[in-house]
């Protein structure tokens, strides 16, 4: 059968340092293989956890971007509402609904107390007819009776009443049998 060749010199000395027998070589490899398997498994588990965390962060980022878009849209809608309410025509319409009229020519005071300019009163505009909600419902029972608008201005084509015609120096006031009660402005 085959015989192992005999080692001489330096090779013999190295052979004496190594353990003799093949079973010992197999036993020495088992912990190394186990260590490599554990390291690979730990690395794979670490990558899985890292990937899950990144994925969760990505979903949160998408949710936050969507929420930011919704809030931006809401802010723009509110800004459009503010712009619509603060437009000059809207302010003018709202002021007329409240019974305001444009002012006359202003006068200014100097620091020494002299008046500059000639002030004039606001022009007498037709007073808007403001009725209480109770006055808007027909009480006579006739469904065909026209319902007055709460912000209707009297037309200038109407003939003045005898009370206002008799006193030309006074401002025209509507003559009604019952004085309308002021209604609160909604939202104020």
């Amino acid at each position: 059968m085959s015989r192992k060749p005999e080692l001489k010199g330096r090779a013999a000395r190295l052979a004496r340092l190594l353990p003799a027998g093949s079973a010992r070589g197999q036993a020495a490899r088992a912990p190394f293989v186990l260590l490599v398997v554990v390291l690979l498994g730990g690395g794979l588990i670490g990558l899985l956890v890292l990937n899950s965390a990144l994925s969760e962060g990505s979903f949160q980022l998408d949710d936050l971007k969507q929420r930011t878009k919704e809030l931006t849209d809401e802010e723009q809608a509110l800004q459009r509402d503010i712009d619509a309410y603060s437009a000059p025509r809207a302010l003018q319409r709202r002021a007329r609904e409240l019974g305001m009229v444009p002012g006359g020519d202003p006068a200014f005071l100097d620091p020494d107390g002299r008046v500059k300019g000639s002030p004039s009163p606001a022009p007498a505009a037709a007073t808007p007819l403001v009725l209480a909600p109770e006055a808007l419902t027909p009480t006579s029972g006739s469904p065909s009776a026209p319902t007055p608008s709460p912000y209707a201005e009297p037309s200038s084509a109407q003939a003045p009443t005898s009370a206002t015609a008799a006193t030309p120096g006074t401002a025209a006031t509507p003559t009604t049998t019952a004085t309308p009660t002021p209604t609160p402005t909604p939202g104020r």
Side-chain angles (χ1 to χ4, degrees):
M1 306 235 197
S2 81
R3 194 173 166 196
K4 255 184 167 186
E6 207 173 295
L7 300 174
K8 295 181 184 178
R10 191 174 183 166
R13 279 183 290 179
L14 284 174
R16 278 183 286 186
L17 291 175
L18 292 175
S22 63
R24 269 187 91 105
Q26 291 292 335
R29 286 187 197 162
F32 176 72
V33 171
L34 184 63
L35 178 67
V36 169
V37 168
V38 167
L39 286 176
L40 286 175
L44 287 174
I45 290 174
L47 283 174
L48 179 65
V49 169
L50 181 65
N51 191 17
S52 297
L54 288 175
S55 179
E56 181 180 344
S58 175
F59 285 128
Q60 288 177 349
L61 181 64
D62 288 342
D63 290 342
L64 290 175
K65 282 182 180 179
Q66 180 65 27
R67 180 71 176 141
T68 302
K69 184 182 178 295
E70 290 171 1
L71 289 175
T72 301
D73 291 345
E74 183 179 350
E75 177 191 15
Q76 289 175 352
L78 290 173
Q79 187 62 45
R80 278 192 306 269
D81 290 346
I82 289 171
D83 292 342
Y85 286 128
S86 63
R89 287 188 185 197
L91 290 175
Q92 182 183 18
R93 180 183 47 81
R94 183 74 178 133
R96 286 190 187 198
E97 287 175 357
L98 293 173
M100 296 179 164
V101 295
D105 293 330
F108 300 97
L109 292 178
D110 281 336
D112 61 355
R114 287 184 299 156
V115 178
K116 279 189 154 183
S118 59
S120 65
T127 320
L129 179 63
V130 180
L131 298 175
E134 299 85 31
L136 295 176
T137 57
T139 56
S140 62
S142 64
S144 64
T147 305
S149 170
Y151 299 111
E153 294 185 18
S155 71
S156 60
Q158 291 177 345
T161 59
S162 61
T164 58
T167 57
T170 62
T173 57
T175 56
T176 57
T177 56
T179 57
T181 58
T183 58
T185 305
R188 304 251 173 170

